[in-house]
Amino acid sequence: MENPILKDPRELFHTEKFEKQDQDTPALQAKMNPKPDCGEKSYVGNKKLENRRVLITGGDSGIGRAAAIAFAKEGADVAIQFYPGEEKDANEVAECIQEAGRKACLLPYDLREESTPKQIIEQAVADLGGLDTLVLNAAQQISKKSIEELSIQQIRDTFTINIIAMFELVQLALPNLPAGSSIITTTSVQAFDPSDHLLDYAATKAAIANFTIGLAKQLASKGIRVNGVAPGPIWTPLQLDHGQPQGALPDFGQESLLGRAGQPVELAPVYVFLASNDASYVTAQIYGVTGGEAINL
């Protein structure tokens, strides 16, 4: 009898402290050290999403990038929205999608601009020939140690990007989504255990969790499933772009039960499952990928 293939989760990926580093806005994955593993080489597809037409916001780096690459390797055509200025990362993702033999569509739009959601949906539908899967993942995360330092403009921007854009994108996409479609949001462990330095970000993530379950109740009668993923500390460009308190980056993720930060590719199978027909009886759920921290509604 052959031995089972087991991997100690404590010893996977990057297990050491991170070096001190930061970037100007927008932070690029291409400049990170170490560069996050988004499944460029490590993810292996199994044709679970053959010929699906997917829109992913924030799809150029981090978790959105991992989802985009995995979806393409599973057989989907993918449109990715990204913040203008992140073209280098977006082009890398497009290359990965095309190497998987699928169509890649790049949508450089700033979600803070009023007309953006309409343009994103219209272009995605036109380029992909339809739409059946939404991964609403784009986010702004800026650390501020006190509410006195938190500008109202930052609060407005964080809410606009993180949750208001979700409402608009779903409203505009809905007429194009047939029965069997899937909507997946990215919330966070911050929705359930907020950090004091991420007051606005954590509040939006709590709103996203609530939005996800409420929307699932609305759309079940249309045969559309809605679920969310709640990541814990994941090594992404968000952390380098003022996403962590000064001096905190080297220890990022080290306090998780598994003793390390997660990598974006470790979330990809969850997004694939929730989008696929394997999850046909799964809706109104939040899946935690947190390294051990509990999530509760």
Side-chain angles (χ1 to χ4, degrees):
M1 181 179 293
E2 295 183 5
N3 292 327
I5 299 174
L6 299 176
K7 297 180 180 180
D8 186 339
R10 301 168 299 174
E11 303 300 326
L12 294 175
F13 304 102
H14 184 82
T15 60
E16 306 299 323
K17 290 190 175 185
F18 296 101
E19 69 176 46
K20 293 181 178 179
Q21 55 191 297
D22 55 38
Q23 294 187 33
D24 294 330
T25 304
L28 296 177
Q29 180 158 312
K31 296 181 179 180
M32 294 176 69
N33 186 28
K35 191 173 180 179
D37 187 338
C38 291
E40 293 89 347
K41 303 297 182 184
S42 57
Y43 188 89
V44 178
N46 294 288
K47 297 185 178 181
K48 290 182 176 294
L49 301 173
E50 202 73 12
N51 299 321
R52 295 287 284 270
R53 298 162 297 181
V54 182
L55 169 63
I56 301 176
T57 63
D60 59 296
S61 64
I63 295 167
R65 179 188 184 120
I69 291 170
F71 280 33
K73 289 185 177 183
E74 296 289 355
D77 294 329
V78 185
I80 60 170
Q81 174 274 335
F82 61 95
Y83 182 73
E86 298 175 340
E87 282 79 6
K88 181 173 177 60
D89 282 349
N91 288 331
E92 289 180 355
V93 180
E95 289 178 7
C96 289
I97 294 170
Q98 291 161 353
E99 286 174 4
R102 305 308 306 186
K103 185 174 184 178
C105 305
L106 301 184
L107 309 176
Y109 290 104
D110 185 344
L111 288 171
R112 296 172 298 181
E113 296 178 1
E114 189 171 343
S115 62
T116 287
K118 185 173 187 292
Q119 293 173 315
I120 290 171
I121 297 300
E122 288 180 348
Q123 188 174 339
V125 170
D127 290 350
L128 298 177
L131 201 59
D132 52 57
T133 306
L134 296 180
V135 178
L136 303 174
N137 167 78
Q140 172 173 290
Q141 174 185 319
I142 300 175
S143 174
K144 296 291 183 182
K145 67 180 181 180
S146 70
I147 193 169
E148 289 90 350
E149 294 183 1
L150 188 57
S151 73
I152 295 302
Q153 188 59 56
Q154 178 180 316
I155 295 168
R156 289 195 182 101
D157 287 348
T158 302
F159 272 80
T160 298
I161 294 167
N162 294 13
I163 179 63
I164 294 173
M166 283 193 184
F167 278 87
E168 293 185 88
L169 289 164
V170 171
Q171 286 178 333
L172 294 161
L174 199 53
N176 301 284
L177 298 179
S181 295
S182 175
I183 299 173
I184 307 167
T185 66
T186 301
T187 175
S188 170
V189 70
Q190 290 289 327
F192 312 98
D193 184 17
S195 297
D196 60 357
H197 64 95
L198 295 174
L199 204 57
D200 56 331
Y201 174 82
T204 64
K205 291 300 178 175
I208 291 168
N210 189 285
F211 168 75
T212 300
I213 294 172
L215 184 65
K217 292 178 179 180
Q218 281 196 11
L219 299 187
S221 63
K222 297 180 181 293
I224 299 172
R225 297 179 299 102
V226 186
N227 295 284
V229 180
I234 307 297
W235 183 238
T236 72
L238 276 181
Q239 313 309 328
L240 277 65
D241 191 2
H242 309 291
Q244 292 296 314
Q246 188 171 5
L249 193 64
D251 293 318
F252 178 69
Q254 304 298 308
E255 294 183 358
S256 73
L257 290 185
L258 295 178
R260 63 172 177 86
Q263 293 291 325
V265 69
E266 296 183 275
L267 290 100
V270 180
Y271 285 90
V272 168
F273 168 69
L274 292 175
S276 75
N277 294 325
D278 289 345
S280 58
Y281 202 56
V282 179
T283 196
Q285 303 301 308
I286 306 293
Y287 278 64
V289 185
T290 67
E293 187 169 351
I295 61 168
N296 296 287
L297 276 178

